[in-house]
Amino acid sequence: MRIVDAAVVVTSPGRNFVTLQLRTDAGLTGLGDATLNGRELAVAAYLSEHVVPLLIGTDAHAIEHTWQSLYRGAYWRRGPVTMAAIAAVDVALWDIKAQVAGLPLYQLLGGASRDRVATYGHASGRDLPELFDSIRARLAEGYPAVRVQTGVPGLQRVYAVAQPDADTVLPVVEDWDSAAYLRHLPGVFESVRNEFGPDLPLLHDVHHRLSPQQAARLGRDLEPYDLFWLEDVTPAEDQSALRLVRQHTTVPLAIGEVFNTVFDYQTLITERLIDFVRSPVTHFGGITAVKKLLDLAAVYGIRSGLHGPADISPVGMAAAVHLDLAVHNFGIQEFTGHPPAAAEVFRGGYTFRDGHLHPGEAPGLGVTLDLDAAAAYPYRRAYLPVNRLHDGSVHDW
């Protein structure tokens, strides 16, 4: 069975998504997510100009060979643009293969290891009353676990806390003060625990903002509140930085949403410096690569917690849910849903019920792309925010 046609579809039903559509000489169509938030057109061009010409006429069943060819054959390896493009091809080929088998994709990954996939939702507030309302809203939606983000006194715009629209052009500029954050956050979690009790799994995302020493202090200060995990406590390009954090706190650590290959994790996994790996299928080279990552992590007792906000398209989310259902060392799945218009463009796929996801029993990924609906939502240039300290210098966002 050969690939005879490929199309790269860029659409914006509430936000920008990049989808690769592969078609075979047997009339089957496979979909892959290539969305790279804020740099979507870079991946679309990489696919259209460099990858698609290599795919026409190739064996649609040769998933591993195609993956290695795209990774090794370009010479310039790794990086988010390359790995998102490879991911789209890989997922589309797995979608096709599962359709040929007449099975949902998770069956080709070893079958179900669980009945359903537990998720966590996002709660945030500029102050405690607003935060408590947000947590109650996530619980009412059925989420069994909640990520807690909070405003910080003296800071106007903070990551993941809703603020009024800025009057400036994009990207939005947020502000930051690590000392103020470190003073404020433990009291927030004390208040949350007092309000919601000891049983609710709580998560928090630092978003790479702290030095290793600051991250170690934060982990130690949050230990009394029994977090499910503390995420991205420090920029982890220097993997050895997590040794200092691990030495000073027992709080579970999750990291990796900006990682692109297993090499970014090598020290973290083999030295057991983290507890959860966070890379999404969409940015890590697809199902083939993430499955290998999770198999390596399992050897060291490390679980999955795949990145899954709204900038992972319904195609990428479906791929993650199939993996989540199949792998033994599943931990939890981030899930925030998508803008309502996305359901017009991406049809079918997983279901979300009582805080849990299931990929369904349709052959393949279970997602179809409505090209007419996609055309009604053209691409809109958008950027992620940037983060600055009080002196104006750029800090990690």
Side-chain angles (χ1 to χ4, degrees), residues 46-364:
Y46 189 96
L47 281 167
S48 297
E49 302 298 327
H50 303 290
V51 174
V52 165
L54 300 174
L55 298 176
I56 304 304
T58 60
D59 182 359
H61 282 306
I63 298 176
E64 179 71 23
H65 176 73
T66 299
W67 196 100
Q68 297 295 343
S69 295
L70 294 176
Y71 181 80
R72 299 175 187 275
Y75 185 69
W76 310 108
R77 302 181 183 183
R78 308 170 70 179
V81 173
T82 294
M83 299 311 291
I86 293 175
V89 176
D90 184 79
V91 171
L93 293 179
W94 275 107
D95 188 12
I96 290 168
K97 187 180 285 287
Q99 291 178 54
V100 171
L103 295 170
L105 177 57
Y106 74 84
Q107 293 288 11
L108 273 63
L109 302 175
S113 289
R114 55 195 47 81
D115 296 328
R116 55 185 184 161
V117 172
T119 68
Y120 69 89
H122 292 184
S124 67
R126 286 166 288 186
D127 52 30
L128 285 177
E130 190 173 280
L131 175 60
F132 288 178
D133 287 344
S134 183
I135 294 173
R136 292 187 187 101
R138 300 295 81 76
L139 296 178
E141 292 165 351
Y143 283 102
V146 179
R147 191 189 78 169
V148 172
Q149 306 297 133
T150 179
V152 177
L155 301 183
Q156 298 302 308
R157 301 183 67 89
V158 179
Y159 165 74
V161 178
Q163 300 288 347
D165 291 337
D167 294 328
T168 59
V169 298
L170 293 176
V172 169
V173 178
E174 298 178 351
D175 53 344
W176 188 249
D177 183 332
S178 293
Y181 167 77
L182 288 168
R183 288 192 299 269
H184 182 64
L185 194 67
V188 170
F189 274 89
E190 180 180 23
S191 298
V192 170
R193 276 289 177 228
N194 288 340
E195 180 71 18
F196 294 94
D199 297 330
L200 176 62
L202 300 176
L203 304 83
H204 179 70
D205 185 0
V206 182
H207 226 243
H208 324 280
R209 308 236 168 149
L210 300 179
S211 71
Q213 292 85 353
Q214 291 169 334
R217 170 188 161 185
L218 179 64
R220 183 193 63 214
D221 290 348
L222 293 179
E223 282 179 12
Y225 311 114
D226 190 26
L227 269 63
F228 184 89
W229 80 34
L230 189 59
E231 179 184 345
D232 288 340
V233 290
T234 190
E237 289 91 341
D238 176 11
Q239 298 179 46
S240 63
L242 272 293
R243 292 179 184 142
L244 177 64
V245 182
R246 191 61 127 185
Q247 288 168 2
H248 290 278
T249 182
T250 59
V251 69
L253 301 173
I255 213 159
E257 70 181 54
V258 299
F259 288 174
N260 308 127
T261 73
V262 69
F263 304 106
D264 299 315
Y265 283 106
Q266 196 164 0
T267 298
L268 300 176
I269 289 175
T270 59
E271 296 189 19
R272 294 182 172 89
L273 300 181
I274 58 173
D275 302 278
F276 297 89
V277 296
R278 292 274 294 133
S279 292
V281 173
T282 299
H283 302 150
F284 200 80
I287 291 166
T288 295
V290 175
K291 180 66 164 60
K292 291 177 180 178
L293 169 68
L294 296 181
D295 287 343
L296 173 63
V299 174
Y300 295 89
I302 296 169
R303 294 188 287 165
S304 72
L306 303 186
H307 184 61
D311 61 351
I312 303 299
S313 88
V315 174
M317 181 57 65
V321 177
H322 280 278
L323 264 173
D324 292 336
L325 198 71
V327 297
H328 183 261
N329 57 323
F330 168 76
I332 201 166
Q333 174 64 57
E334 182 179 20
F335 182 71
T336 62
H338 291 94
E344 302 173 28
V345 176
F346 302 96
R347 306 290 179 85
Y350 52 85
T351 57
F352 177 69
R353 185 176 298 112
D354 298 327
H356 291 75
L357 293 161
H358 194 280
E361 300 300 329

